[in-house]
Amino acid sequence: MRNKELAKIFSHLAQHLAMRDVAFKPQAYERASLAIGSLAEDVQDIYEREGAIGLERIPGVGKGIAERIEEYLRTGKVQDYEKERKRMPVDLDELTSVEGIGPKAVAELYKRLKVKNLKDLERAASARRIRELPRFGVKTEQNILQGIALVKQSSGRRLISDIFPYVQEYVTLLKNSSFAKEVEAAGSFRRMRETIGDIDILATSDNPQKLTEFFLAKVKHTKMWGKGPTKVSVRTRYGFDVDLRVLEEETFGAGLQYFTGSKEHNVKLRTLAIEKGYKVSEYGVFKGKKRVACKTEEEVYRALGLPYIEPELREDTGEIEAAIQGRLPTVIPYDSLQGDLQTQTDWTDGEHSIEDMAKEARRQGLSYIAITDHTRDLAMTGGSDEKRLLKQMAEIDRVNKRVSGITVLKGAEVNIRKDGTLDIADEILAKLDVVGAAVHSLFRLPKQEMTARIIRAMKNRHVDILFHPTGRLIQKREPYEVDIDEVIKAAKRTGTLLEINALPVRLDLRDANIRKAVEMGALLVIDSDAHRKEHFSVLKAFLRVLKKRHDH
Ligand code: DGT
Ligand code: CA
Ligand code: CA
Ligand code: ZN
């Protein structure tokens, strides 16, 4: 599948062009990158079947870009991109992984300090050379150092949304080969962790050797960590590791349970088993020499007197105790989402119109969405003031008349000012269906002040949801200093919903906080924070794969 490589090249090309202030082209390449990255079909297949005409039929791909796709498929390179890289040989992914560093900053840092990669950046910041640059300053330099520390600390792990397409690709590849029977992704991916260390794939096969060789031949890798008759472990060309294990059909359930982990969950399970006179391994549950369970995961848990425990719960955070006591929570199935209460449109920093977003949400099976564009204080997004909000409400009325099958709610994502007041007047907030309030500035207030600021906003009777309750960006920005227990209490007291932002990089409330909120009786809302139509489909992609598992 060449789609991911092409998507990356076009995204890099867009950033290079943006660095040189080229007009329009960056957006076109960015659009093409997104379109190709989320395409279900391999561009190579499209090209082989339909030629350049077929490529031009891909939404977001015009003649110029189709030519470059063709060039890439024929030569393995896009000359325009190679030229840009010669002009400015920087490691864009590495540098922009630091929070606050965008293409413009990369260009400045390269021109003035010859910064090409993370190492150079750290050296320049440590030598206090960044603060001397125009538009950077001491504060920015300190933020850069903190950002670098965070990147290093999480190095090696990837966001689950980055890993997801590859898991899908490898699983499909193996399933479609004639050598595999069952194929499942296990490990932290199956447990849906925020970040993934490596991908673990399990399979059964009549010919394990053939299957592992097929995998090695098909998956481009730069290193091979190990290779045996039933196991291979490689570093892919994309820089992450994949383990493939071929298991016996008879013991697949026990193996799946074992390699899904977590290690902590398994340790606790083994202890429980010993207490009951059993032994658990990747080959099954044993009583003495006799194997009493191994075929399915359900069997393994049942043998130990437990109900099935969903993979997402297997972190040894109380799930085994809950299972013993028969009070395991019901996991919300992946296809239960009815609506979406945070979306942005081209009225502010979103990409698509209200109508387009509504239609896309309808296509994804939602029955309502709230349009929650930014407001006044977020000037860089073109945030609305009261007058413009009223105009937008009128437009939403018109969209509701034009578009059937989905309800579009009037909303806003208003800014919480330093003192906890909001940047939109109450009488306008009163006219909205959904008011979300969020901190979008002054992220570094002391904990007490930040907590008081947020709670004051929640007390506003028009505020329905606290958006971004922690403000974190996974691997990029730490949550702000806030007393989350106090915020949860205030949520309960004021009837304000707390947002679980579903963008994989955000997930404002992490699992532990969600659990706390549920235990304390606060209400939660899951939304997409979509800034473009494609953001809904990321959610969909997750749903499709995961649904199957919940059908057992
Ligand atoms: P990751 O890759 O760091 O995101 O996290 P995992 O959970 O995928 O960890 P990984 O890839 O090292 O191993 C996959 C699963 O296999 C792990 O969750 C539990 C099981 N496992 C692997 N090695 C061991 C081990 O030495 N002891 C135990 N108890 N379980 C293991
Ligand atoms: Ca793993
Ligand atoms: Ca592994
Ligand atoms: Zn936005």
Side-chain angles (χ1 to χ4, degrees):
M1 189 105 164
R2 318 297 296 273
N3 297 17
K4 292 288 155 198
E5 296 155 36
L6 259 169
K8 184 131 247 177
I9 288 176
F10 285 152
S11 162
H12 281 186
L13 185 50
Q15 293 179 64
H16 274 284
L17 294 169
M19 289 192 271
R20 291 202 290 117
D21 282 320
V22 176
F24 306 119
K25 276 189 173 176
Q27 289 87 324
Y29 279 116
E30 200 55 58
R31 240 191 319 277
S33 168
L34 274 162
I36 293 164
S38 59
L39 211 60
E41 198 181 357
D42 194 339
V43 279
Q44 180 112 41
D45 293 346
I46 299 177
Y47 180 63
E48 277 165 18
R49 198 179 57 233
E50 302 168 50
I53 300 291
L55 297 176
E56 281 184 54
R57 270 201 283 270
I58 302 169
V61 173
K63 193 162 183 330
I65 285 172
E67 278 168 10
R68 280 162 187 83
I69 298 176
E70 195 173 2
E71 181 190 352
Y72 178 74
L73 293 176
R74 285 171 177 275
T75 68
K77 286 203 166 109
V78 176
Q79 276 310 324
D80 284 354
Y81 174 53
E82 298 303 323
K83 269 188 227 147
E84 294 295 336
R85 278 219 298 200
K86 274 226 182 77
R87 197 175 271 146
M88 201 182 291
V90 292
D91 189 330
L92 268 173
D93 285 339
E94 218 175 88
L95 289 169
T96 55
S97 72
V98 178
E99 169 65 0
I101 304 271
K104 285 271 154 60
V106 170
E108 280 296 301
L109 290 163
Y110 176 73
K111 275 188 216 136
R112 294 179 183 268
L113 301 174
K114 287 277 162 283
V115 168
K116 289 188 197 159
N117 49 39
L118 205 61
K119 234 193 201 135
D120 295 345
L121 183 68
E122 186 170 26
R123 209 174 293 141
S126 303
R128 307 186 160 201
R129 298 195 56 199
I130 293 176
R131 62 178 68 188
E132 295 157 8
L133 303 182
R135 291 199 301 277
F136 280 83
V138 177
K139 192 96 197 169
T140 312
E141 188 178 87
Q142 286 166 349
N143 289 348
I144 287 175
L145 278 171
Q146 277 186 23
I148 293 171
L150 208 55
V151 168
K152 278 181 154 174
Q153 175 194 318
S154 53
S155 82
R157 302 193 68 83
R158 306 279 181 107
L159 272 188
I160 191 163
S161 50
D162 292 346
I163 284 294
F164 177 76
Y166 297 105
V167 174
Q168 208 173 20
E169 181 181 334
Y170 301 145
V171 167
T172 311
L173 176 79
L174 292 170
K175 273 193 175 148
N176 291 347
S177 81
S178 44
F179 312 115
K181 293 178 157 173
E182 246 168 312
V183 185
E184 284 271 6
S188 52
F189 176 81
R190 185 158 181 257
R191 303 197 314 279
M192 287 282 119
R193 291 299 305 248
E194 294 166 357
T195 62
I196 306 299
D198 74 350
I199 300 177
D200 302 280
I201 299 177
L202 307 177
T204 57
S205 172
D206 288 336
N207 195 335
Q209 183 104 26
K210 272 252 162 64
L211 185 65
T212 51
E213 270 160 19
F214 170 81
F215 183 77
L216 281 177
K218 288 286 180 181
V219 173
K220 298 230 170 64
H221 52 279
T222 55
K223 280 189 190 120
M224 194 165 67
W225 303 119
K227 179 176 184 289
T230 60
K231 193 194 151 172
V232 279
S233 181
V234 295
R235 161 79 40 98
T236 69
R237 63 192 308 199
Y238 310 108
F240 55 78
D241 295 344
V242 186
D243 294 341
L244 168 65
R245 295 183 180 84
V246 190
L247 308 180
E248 294 289 336
E249 249 176 286
E250 189 48 32
T251 61
F252 190 71
L256 181 60
Q257 195 289 319
Y258 179 86
F259 290 110
T260 294
S262 67
K263 202 170 157 192
E264 293 75 14
H265 173 88
N266 288 352
V267 168
K268 180 70 66 76
L269 204 64
R270 275 203 299 271
T271 313
L272 175 75
I274 290 166
E275 282 166 14
K276 295 188 169 230
Y278 294 102
K279 214 182 120 249
V280 185
S281 75
E282 58 186 288
Y283 303 109
V285 182
F286 296 84
K287 183 130 217 169
K289 285 223 151 33
K290 189 170 179 286
R291 185 152 64 197
V292 295
C294 57
K295 189 97 180 99
T296 65
E297 283 192 311
E298 282 85 348
E299 257 186 33
V300 169
Y301 284 104
R302 203 184 311 129
L304 301 173
L306 299 176
Y308 180 72
I309 302 176
E310 297 281 353
E312 291 87 340
L313 298 175
R314 301 182 197 169
E315 301 293 344
D316 188 26
T317 46
E319 75 281 4
I320 291 179
E321 291 81 351
I324 292 171
Q325 294 160 14
R327 51 173 183 83
L328 266 184
T330 317
V331 173
I332 301 172
Y334 279 95
D335 51 1
S336 347
L337 233 47
Q338 301 284 316
D340 193 334
L341 291 178
Q342 185 179 175
T343 66
Q344 275 87 11
T345 70
D346 58 1
W347 281 64
T348 58
D349 62 346
E351 175 79 14
H352 297 111
S353 69
I354 296 171
E355 180 158 349
D356 285 348
M357 291 295 273
K359 284 180 175 162
E360 179 65 16
R362 182 181 62 185
R363 207 173 67 82
Q364 305 275 344
L366 299 181
S367 59
Y368 62 90
I369 60 165
I371 304 299
T372 55
D373 275 304
H374 295 288
T375 52
R376 179 167 26 215
D377 285 1
L378 223 53
M380 60 181 181
T381 69
S384 293
D385 57 11
E386 284 82 356
K387 222 170 111 192
R388 197 148 172 273
L389 268 176
L390 286 171
K391 240 175 99 183
Q392 193 183 39
M393 289 182 219
E395 169 63 12
I396 290 174
D397 282 333
R398 284 191 290 275
V399 172
N400 273 320
K401 287 215 181 77
R402 277 200 300 270
V403 181
S404 62
I406 185 156
T407 304
V408 184
L409 300 172
K410 298 162 188 165
E413 177 174 11
V414 301
N415 298 297
I416 304 177
R417 290 181 161 157
K418 187 173 184 219
D419 62 359
T421 59
L422 305 174
D423 66 344
I424 293 293
D426 276 1
E427 73 249 33
I428 302 298
L429 296 183
K431 292 184 198 293
L432 292 168
D433 301 313
V434 181
V435 176
V439 167
H440 277 120
S441 61
L442 301 162
F443 293 120
R444 289 157 191 269
L445 292 186
K447 188 168 186 170
Q448 231 179 348
E449 199 180 340
M450 185 61 109
T451 308
R453 172 191 187 187
I454 289 175
I455 290 177
R456 179 162 179 205
M458 293 165 83
K459 282 184 180 157
N460 180 309
R461 51 192 283 266
H462 303 295
V463 171
D464 303 299
I465 307 172
L466 176 65
F467 283 159
H468 306 304
T470 69
R472 71 173 177 158
L473 292 174
I474 296 171
Q475 297 188 337
K476 279 196 158 191
R477 188 169 77 204
E478 294 286 4
Y480 20 79
E481 293 282 335
V482 64
D483 187 334
I484 196 75
D485 288 21
E486 285 305 315
V487 169
I488 295 172
K489 274 187 220 155
K492 163 114 172 111
R493 217 167 42 236
T494 59
T496 313
L497 310 180
L498 297 176
E499 181 193 34
I500 302 173
N501 189 302
L503 273 191
V505 69
R506 288 191 175 270
L507 294 171
D508 270 85
L509 291 180
R510 51 161 314 157
D511 49 4
N513 288 334
I514 292 170
R515 186 170 302 180
K516 225 184 245 175
V518 171
E519 278 164 8
M520 288 164 73
L523 292 178
L524 299 161
V525 54
I526 302 173
D527 58 41
S528 72
D529 198 359
H531 277 65
R532 49 187 313 137
K533 291 194 293 185
E534 288 80 2
H535 286 161
F536 293 121
S537 76
V538 171
L539 199 56
K540 187 87 171 182
F542 274 94
L543 301 182
R544 205 172 321 132
V545 167
L546 293 167
K547 218 179 139 206
K548 186 177 138 257
R549 185 201 316 153
H550 289 272
D551 291 341
H552 62 72

